Amino acid sequence: MDIAFLLDKYFKGTNNVSIDVFDAQTLNAVYRNVVSAMTSHFEIEVSVLQALSYCLYEMMDNVLIHSGRPLGTAITYFDKSSKILRILIADDGMGIKASLAENKKYSDITEAEALRLCLQDSITDGRGMGFGLYTTAKLIEKIGKMFILHSGSHKLMMKDGETTCVENGFWQGTLIYMEIGTAKEIDPNQVVDHRVDAAEEYNEAFVETEELESLW
C-alpha cells in the first residue's frame, strides 16, 4: 500500500500523524492504542469518543472480514487548533462491489450503487451484520465535516449535508477517510441505534475507575 500517497493526499501539511498496520492478530492491540491516543486529547468530547470507538473497531474489523486481504492500515491525526479529528482506514483488497457481489442479492449492482448501499443498515455480503458503515454514516451526519468512501474507480463523498458519488481515480480495495468535529456533545447510543451500549463499552475499556466516577 502506498502510504506516502495517502499522507500526501489526505494529511498534507500535518505533523505527528499516527500510522498503524494491523492484521487479525494485532487488531485488538492496534485498536486499543489508537483509541487510547485519542483519549489522551482532553479537547475531544467523551461522548464523541464513545461513539467513535465503536465505529472505528467496526471499520477496522471490516477490513479483515470483507477485503480478502490480511492487512489493513489506520492513519489518524488530531488538529487541536480546529478540534478536527482525521481518520483513514484503508486496504488493498477486493473492494466493496466485489465483496457485496458475494451476496446474490447484490450481484448485479454497479460500483456506485454498491458504495451507496453499504452505508445503509443491514447491507452485507453475508459475512457480517452490515452495521459498521451504517453507524459510521450516522456519526458523520451528527458531527462529520467530511466523509470519503473510495473503492475501485468510484468515490462517494458526504460534505455539507450532501452526498455525491462520482468516478474519481482508482483505489484497489476500500479507503475510508473522515474528518470529525470533536467539540460537540452527542448521544453515542443514538449513533448505534441503541442496539448496543456504546457509552458503557467505551467507559469499561478505556476509562479508569476514578475517572469514571468523576463523570457522574
Side-chain angles (χ1 to χ4, degrees), residues 24-92:
Q25 286 69 46
T26 61
L27 170 62
N28 287 327
V30 170
Y31 163 72
R32 289 190 64 84
N33 288 340
V34 171
V35 177
S36 294
M38 295 177 186
T39 301
S40 69
H41 296 292
F42 299 109
E43 302 90 343
I44 302 179
E45 277 284 344
V46 172
S47 60
V48 171
L49 290 169
Q50 289 169 336
L52 177 60
S53 62
Y54 181 91
C55 297
L56 179 64
Y57 185 87
E58 291 294 314
M59 287 187 289
M60 295 173 69
D61 194 43
N62 278 350
V63 170
L64 305 179
I65 293 175
H66 304 292
S67 74
R69 299 285 287 173
L71 297 176
T73 299
I75 306 177
T76 55
Y77 173 77
F78 179 57
D79 186 334
K80 290 186 178 181
S81 61
S82 63
K83 296 184 178 180
I84 299 294
L85 182 62
R86 303 188 198 180
I87 299 174
L88 185 147
I89 307 293
D91 66 68
D92 56 358

Side-chain angles (χ1 to χ4, degrees), residues 100-112:
L100 278 182
E102 294 184 353
N103 184 331
K104 291 182 179 180
K105 288 173 59 178
Y106 311 117
S107 60
D108 295 325
I109 61 175
T110 66
E111 192 169 70

Side-chain angles (χ1 to χ4, degrees), residues 186-203:
I186 61 174
D187 181 350
N189 291 329
Q190 280 188 351
V191 172
V192 297
D193 275 351
H194 298 278
R195 298 186 198 180
V196 298
D197 193 331
E200 182 177 345
E201 286 186 2
Y202 170 84
N203 292 343

Side-chain angles (χ1 to χ4, degrees), residues 71-182:
L71 297 176
T73 299
I75 306 177
T76 55
Y77 173 77
F78 179 57
D79 186 334
K80 290 186 178 181
S81 61
S82 63
K83 296 184 178 180
I84 299 294
L85 182 62
R86 303 188 198 180
I87 299 174
L88 185 147
I89 307 293
D91 66 68
D92 56 358
M94 70 175 69
I96 290 174
K97 181 180 183 298
S99 177
L100 278 182
E102 294 184 353
N103 184 331
K104 291 182 179 180
K105 288 173 59 178
Y106 311 117
S107 60
D108 295 325
I109 61 175
T110 66
E111 192 169 70
E113 289 171 334
L115 267 60
R116 290 183 180 276
L117 271 174
C118 73
L119 299 180
Q120 299 178 20
D121 192 8
S122 302
I123 304 297
T124 176
D125 59 9
R127 294 192 298 270
M129 297 184 298
F131 193 52
L133 279 176
Y134 169 68
T135 56
T136 302
K138 286 176 66 66
L139 177 67
I140 294 299
E141 288 175 2
K142 290 185 175 297
I143 53 173
K145 305 298 182 181
M146 179 186 295
F147 175 83
I148 292 173
L149 178 61
H150 194 174
S151 184
S153 60
H154 283 77
K155 180 183 290 186
L156 180 147
M157 178 182 291
M158 298 170 62
K159 187 176 181 180
D160 299 327
E162 294 186 1
T163 301
T164 58
C165 188
V166 298
E167 286 194 63
N168 189 320
F170 183 83
W171 180 262
Q172 177 61 53
T174 301
L175 182 156
I176 300 169
Y177 172 77
M178 54 188 178
E179 297 179 1
I180 297 173
T182 62

